[in-house]
Tab-separated table of all heavy atoms in Angstrom:
chain	number	residue	atom	x	y	z
A	1420	GLN	N	126.980	150.829	97.075
A	1420	GLN	CA	127.898	151.054	98.188
A	1420	GLN	C	127.573	150.154	99.374
A	1420	GLN	O	126.408	149.796	99.606
A	1420	GLN	CB	127.851	152.516	98.644
A	1420	GLN	CG	128.376	153.517	97.632
A	1420	GLN	CD	128.297	154.935	98.164
A	1420	GLN	OE1	127.337	155.321	98.816
A	1420	GLN	NE2	129.337	155.715	97.874
A	1421	LEU	N	128.616	149.803	100.111
A	1421	LEU	CA	128.462	149.133	101.395
A	1421	LEU	C	128.669	150.165	102.492
A	1421	LEU	O	129.679	150.880	102.493
A	1421	LEU	CB	129.493	148.006	101.549
A	1421	LEU	CG	129.362	146.802	100.621
A	1421	LEU	CD1	130.551	145.868	100.821
A	1421	LEU	CD2	128.060	146.061	100.893
A	1422	ALA	N	127.713	150.260	103.390
A	1422	ALA	CA	127.823	151.189	104.511
A	1422	ALA	C	128.215	150.405	105.758
A	1422	ALA	O	127.530	149.458	106.146
A	1422	ALA	CB	126.497	151.912	104.738
A	1423	VAL	N	129.327	150.794	106.360
A	1423	VAL	CA	129.811	150.154	107.584
A	1423	VAL	C	129.630	151.143	108.726
A	1423	VAL	O	130.214	152.231	108.721
A	1423	VAL	CB	131.290	149.740	107.466
A	1423	VAL	CG1	131.751	149.029	108.729
A	1423	VAL	CG2	131.500	148.852	106.247
A	1424	GLY	N	128.812	150.776	109.706
A	1424	GLY	CA	128.507	151.674	110.806
A	1424	GLY	C	129.682	151.856	111.757
A	1424	GLY	O	130.666	151.109	111.704
A	1425	PRO	N	129.597	152.839	112.644
A	1425	PRO	CA	130.640	153.059	113.645
A	1425	PRO	C	130.850	151.805	114.492
A	1425	PRO	O	129.936	150.993	114.652
A	1425	PRO	CB	130.068	154.204	114.497
A	1425	PRO	CG	129.092	154.898	113.601
A	1425	PRO	CD	128.501	153.819	112.749
A	1426	GLY	N	132.062	151.651	114.999
A	1426	GLY	CA	132.338	150.445	115.773
A	1426	GLY	C	133.569	150.580	116.649
A	1426	GLY	O	134.283	151.584	116.616
A	1427	ILE	N	133.796	149.531	117.435
A	1427	ILE	CA	134.963	149.430	118.307
A	1427	ILE	C	135.745	148.193	117.908
A	1427	ILE	O	135.168	147.110	117.780
A	1427	ILE	CB	134.551	149.339	119.790
A	1427	ILE	CG1	133.704	150.544	120.195
A	1427	ILE	CG2	135.779	149.229	120.693
A	1427	ILE	CD1	133.182	150.473	121.625
A	1428	ILE	N	137.042	148.335	117.712
A	1428	ILE	CA	137.895	147.227	117.275
A	1428	ILE	C	139.105	147.133	118.204
A	1428	ILE	O	139.692	148.165	118.572
A	1428	ILE	CB	138.384	147.432	115.821
A	1428	ILE	CG1	137.201	147.649	114.881
A	1428	ILE	CG2	139.213	146.245	115.361
A	1428	ILE	CD1	136.867	149.096	114.602
A	1429	LYS	N	139.475	145.924	118.564
A	1429	LYS	CA	140.665	145.724	119.393
A	1429	LYS	C	141.785	145.171	118.537
A	1429	LYS	O	141.606	144.192	117.821
A	1429	LYS	CB	140.362	144.757	120.546
A	1429	LYS	CG	141.542	144.567	121.499
A	1429	LYS	CD	141.168	143.701	122.694
A	1429	LYS	CE	142.345	143.577	123.657
A	1429	LYS	NZ	142.005	142.761	124.852
A	1430	TYR	N	142.938	145.810	118.656
A	1430	TYR	CA	144.108	145.354	117.908
A	1430	TYR	C	145.362	145.556	118.758
A	1430	TYR	O	145.642	146.664	119.222
A	1430	TYR	CB	144.250	146.112	116.595
A	1430	TYR	CG	145.561	145.835	115.882
A	1430	TYR	CD1	145.886	144.540	115.487
A	1430	TYR	CD2	146.457	146.863	115.630
A	1430	TYR	CE1	147.095	144.271	114.848
A	1430	TYR	CE2	147.655	146.606	114.987
A	1430	TYR	CZ	147.973	145.311	114.599
A	1430	TYR	OH	149.165	145.044	113.974
A	1431	GLY	N	146.097	144.486	118.964
A	1431	GLY	CA	147.339	144.573	119.711
A	1431	GLY	C	147.188	145.120	121.111
A	1431	GLY	O	148.074	145.815	121.609
A	1432	GLY	N	146.064	144.857	121.739
A	1432	GLY	CA	145.831	145.344	123.090
A	1432	GLY	C	145.280	146.755	123.148
A	1432	GLY	O	144.914	147.241	124.227
A	1433	PHE	N	145.189	147.439	121.994
A	1433	PHE	CA	144.671	148.803	121.966
A	1433	PHE	C	143.242	148.796	121.422
A	1433	PHE	O	142.917	148.030	120.507
A	1433	PHE	CB	145.552	149.708	121.102
A	1433	PHE	CG	145.192	151.159	121.186
A	1433	PHE	CD1	145.620	151.934	122.252
A	1433	PHE	CD2	144.414	151.754	120.210
A	1433	PHE	CE1	145.289	153.282	122.345
A	1433	PHE	CE2	144.062	153.094	120.289
A	1433	PHE	CZ	144.514	153.864	121.362
A	1434	ILE	N	142.408	149.648	121.976
A	1434	ILE	CA	141.016	149.766	121.540
A	1434	ILE	C	140.893	150.927	120.561
A	1434	ILE	O	141.145	152.084	120.911
A	1434	ILE	CB	140.070	149.999	122.734
A	1434	ILE	CG1	140.271	148.924	123.793
A	1434	ILE	CG2	138.629	150.023	122.257
A	1434	ILE	CD1	140.055	147.505	123.326
A	1435	CYS	N	140.542	150.607	119.314
A	1435	CYS	CA	140.392	151.618	118.265
A	1435	CYS	C	138.918	151.942	118.062
A	1435	CYS	O	138.078	151.034	118.020
A	1435	CYS	CB	140.994	151.115	116.957
A	1435	CYS	SG	142.736	150.678	117.058
A	1436	LEU	N	138.620	153.212	117.925
A	1436	LEU	CA	137.253	153.664	117.711
A	1436	LEU	C	137.067	154.134	116.274
A	1436	LEU	O	137.850	154.950	115.779
A	1436	LEU	CB	136.906	154.813	118.670
A	1436	LEU	CG	137.090	154.542	120.164
A	1436	LEU	CD1	136.721	155.787	120.975
A	1436	LEU	CD2	136.255	153.362	120.615
A	1437	MET	N	136.057	153.600	115.617
A	1437	MET	CA	135.658	154.100	114.297
A	1437	MET	C	134.382	154.902	114.532
A	1437	MET	O	133.297	154.350	114.704
A	1437	MET	CB	135.414	152.940	113.326
A	1437	MET	CG	135.263	153.392	111.895
A	1437	MET	SD	135.389	152.018	110.710
A	1437	MET	CE	133.868	151.130	111.086
A	1438	MET	N	134.517	156.211	114.564
A	1438	MET	CA	133.455	157.086	115.047
A	1438	MET	C	132.378	157.380	114.009
A	1438	MET	O	131.253	157.716	114.365
A	1438	MET	CB	134.062	158.409	115.542
A	1438	MET	CG	135.102	158.231	116.632
A	1438	MET	SD	134.436	157.488	118.129
A	1438	MET	CE	133.330	158.789	118.674
A	1439	GLU	N	132.721	157.274	112.728
A	1439	GLU	CA	131.770	157.650	111.689
A	1439	GLU	C	131.510	156.492	110.732
A	1439	GLU	O	132.336	155.596	110.577
A	1439	GLU	CB	132.298	158.854	110.894
A	1439	GLU	CG	132.502	160.102	111.742
A	1439	GLU	CD	133.057	161.262	110.923
A	1439	GLU	OE1	133.383	161.031	109.724
A	1439	GLU	OE2	133.166	162.369	111.468
A	1440	GLU	N	130.353	156.532	110.107
A	1440	GLU	CA	130.005	155.529	109.101
A	1440	GLU	C	130.925	155.659	107.889
A	1440	GLU	O	131.291	156.758	107.478
A	1440	GLU	CB	128.552	155.738	108.664
A	1440	GLU	CG	128.056	154.754	107.620
A	1440	GLU	CD	126.629	155.032	107.220
A	1440	GLU	OE1	126.420	155.922	106.355
A	1440	GLU	OE2	125.721	154.375	107.750
A	1441	GLN	N	131.324	154.506	107.340
A	1441	GLN	CA	132.201	154.476	106.179
A	1441	GLN	C	131.475	153.853	104.991
A	1441	GLN	O	130.745	152.877	105.154
A	1441	GLN	CB	133.466	153.663	106.488
A	1441	GLN	CG	134.242	154.154	107.702
A	1441	GLN	CD	134.833	155.532	107.497
A	1441	GLN	OE1	135.402	155.822	106.448
A	1441	GLN	NE2	134.707	156.392	108.508
A	1442	LEU	N	131.684	154.407	103.804
A	1442	LEU	CA	131.049	153.913	102.581
A	1442	LEU	C	132.110	153.336	101.646
A	1442	LEU	O	133.140	153.977	101.385
A	1442	LEU	CB	130.282	155.028	101.877
A	1442	LEU	CG	129.115	155.647	102.663
A	1442	LEU	CD1	128.510	156.807	101.895
A	1442	LEU	CD2	128.054	154.605	102.978
A	1443	ILE	N	131.843	152.136	101.136
A	1443	ILE	CA	132.777	151.445	100.245
A	1443	ILE	C	132.053	151.082	98.951
A	1443	ILE	O	131.003	150.431	98.977
A	1443	ILE	CB	133.329	150.160	100.896
A	1443	ILE	CG1	133.906	150.451	102.273
A	1443	ILE	CG2	134.361	149.499	99.992
A	1443	ILE	CD1	135.112	151.344	102.271
A	1444	GLU	N	132.602	151.498	97.822
A	1444	GLU	CA	132.035	151.144	96.525
A	1444	GLU	C	132.317	149.675	96.206
A	1444	GLU	O	133.383	149.160	96.530
A	1444	GLU	CB	132.637	152.025	95.428
A	1444	GLU	CG	132.301	153.501	95.533
A	1444	GLU	CD	130.895	153.820	95.057
A	1444	GLU	OE1	130.296	152.956	94.360
A	1444	GLU	OE2	130.396	154.911	95.380
A	1445	TYR	N	131.350	149.016	95.580
A	1445	TYR	CA	131.548	147.624	95.177
A	1445	TYR	C	130.917	147.388	93.811
A	1445	TYR	O	130.076	148.165	93.342
A	1445	TYR	CB	130.937	146.660	96.212
A	1445	TYR	CG	129.426	146.626	96.191
A	1445	TYR	CD1	128.737	145.696	95.400
A	1445	TYR	CD2	128.668	147.526	96.941
A	1445	TYR	CE1	127.353	145.670	95.358
A	1445	TYR	CE2	127.292	147.504	96.915
A	1445	TYR	CZ	126.635	146.580	96.118
A	1445	TYR	OH	125.259	146.559	96.085
A	1446	GLU	N	131.310	146.297	93.173
A	1446	GLU	CA	130.747	145.897	91.884
A	1446	GLU	C	130.890	144.388	91.748
A	1446	GLU	O	131.623	143.753	92.525
A	1446	GLU	CB	131.466	146.613	90.739
A	1446	GLU	CG	132.947	146.366	90.691
A	1446	GLU	CD	133.639	147.168	89.596
A	1446	GLU	OE1	133.018	148.131	89.083
A	1446	GLU	OE2	134.784	146.825	89.260
A	1447	PRO	N	130.171	143.784	90.806
A	1447	PRO	CA	130.244	142.314	90.653
A	1447	PRO	C	131.644	141.845	90.321
A	1447	PRO	O	132.441	142.564	89.717
A	1447	PRO	CB	129.269	142.035	89.502
A	1447	PRO	CG	128.357	143.204	89.468
A	1447	PRO	CD	129.190	144.381	89.899
A	1448	ALA	N	131.943	140.617	90.704
A	1448	ALA	CA	133.219	139.966	90.370
A	1448	ALA	C	132.939	138.487	90.145
A	1448	ALA	O	131.880	137.975	90.521
A	1448	ALA	CB	134.245	140.165	91.487
A	1449	LYS	N	133.881	137.802	89.564
A	1449	LYS	CA	133.696	136.389	89.278
A	1449	LYS	C	134.166	135.492	90.417
A	1449	LYS	O	134.345	134.295	90.228
A	1449	LYS	CB	134.426	136.016	87.986
A	1449	LYS	CG	133.858	136.710	86.749
A	1449	LYS	CD	134.585	136.278	85.492
A	1449	LYS	CE	134.000	136.958	84.260
A	1449	LYS	NZ	134.706	136.548	83.016
A	1450	GLN	N	134.386	136.075	91.575
A	1450	GLN	CA	134.829	135.314	92.733
A	1450	GLN	C	134.409	136.018	94.013
A	1450	GLN	O	133.821	137.104	93.972
A	1450	GLN	CB	136.349	135.158	92.701
A	1450	GLN	CG	137.105	136.483	92.805
A	1450	GLN	CD	138.589	136.301	92.622
A	1450	GLN	OE1	139.112	136.447	91.521
A	1450	GLN	NE2	139.279	135.987	93.714
A	1451	THR	N	134.696	135.400	95.124
A	1451	THR	CA	134.313	135.961	96.418
A	1451	THR	C	135.134	137.208	96.716
A	1451	THR	O	136.335	137.255	96.485
A	1451	THR	CB	134.540	134.923	97.537
A	1451	THR	OG1	133.734	133.770	97.270
A	1451	THR	CG2	134.151	135.495	98.891
A	1452	GLN	N	134.447	138.224	97.226
A	1452	GLN	CA	135.102	139.452	97.655
A	1452	GLN	C	135.047	139.544	99.176
A	1452	GLN	O	134.049	139.162	99.795
A	1452	GLN	CB	134.426	140.676	97.032
A	1452	GLN	CG	134.432	140.666	95.508
A	1452	GLN	CD	133.804	141.907	94.927
A	1452	GLN	OE1	134.280	143.022	95.127
A	1452	GLN	NE2	132.714	141.726	94.189
A	1453	TYR	N	136.102	140.085	99.753
A	1453	TYR	CA	136.213	140.173	101.208
A	1453	TYR	C	136.327	141.638	101.620
A	1453	TYR	O	137.225	142.344	101.157
A	1453	TYR	CB	137.445	139.414	101.700
A	1453	TYR	CG	137.467	137.959	101.275
A	1453	TYR	CD1	137.990	137.583	100.033
A	1453	TYR	CD2	136.974	136.962	102.107
A	1453	TYR	CE1	138.007	136.258	99.639
A	1453	TYR	CE2	136.991	135.637	101.717
A	1453	TYR	CZ	137.508	135.289	100.484
A	1453	TYR	OH	137.523	133.969	100.093
A	1454	LEU	N	135.399	142.066	102.457
A	1454	LEU	CA	135.485	143.414	103.007
A	1454	LEU	C	136.315	143.340	104.288
A	1454	LEU	O	135.941	142.658	105.236
A	1454	LEU	CB	134.093	143.973	103.307
A	1454	LEU	CG	134.063	145.364	103.953
A	1454	LEU	CD1	134.745	146.396	103.052
A	1454	LEU	CD2	132.628	145.784	104.245
A	1455	LYS	N	137.451	144.040	104.279
A	1455	LYS	CA	138.381	143.953	105.397
A	1455	LYS	C	138.617	145.314	106.040
A	1455	LYS	O	138.471	146.354	105.408
A	1455	LYS	CB	139.730	143.382	104.931
A	1455	LYS	CG	139.646	141.970	104.373
A	1455	LYS	CD	141.007	141.481	103.900
A	1455	LYS	CE	140.941	140.087	103.309
A	1455	LYS	NZ	142.271	139.636	102.825
Side-chain angles (χ1 to χ4, degrees):
Q1420 294 180 320
L1421 293 174
V1423 182
I1427 303 176
I1428 305 96
K1429 183 175 182 179
Y1430 171 60
F1433 188 80
I1434 306 302
C1435 302
L1436 304 179
M1437 191 166 69
M1438 303 298 294
E1439 299 179 354
E1440 180 181 83
Q1441 304 294 315
L1442 298 176
I1443 308 295
E1444 295 283 344
Y1445 73 92
E1446 58 184 16
K1449 295 182 179 180
Q1450 63 186 94
T1451 300
Q1452 301 182 62
Y1453 304 86
L1454 177 59
K1455 298 179 181 179

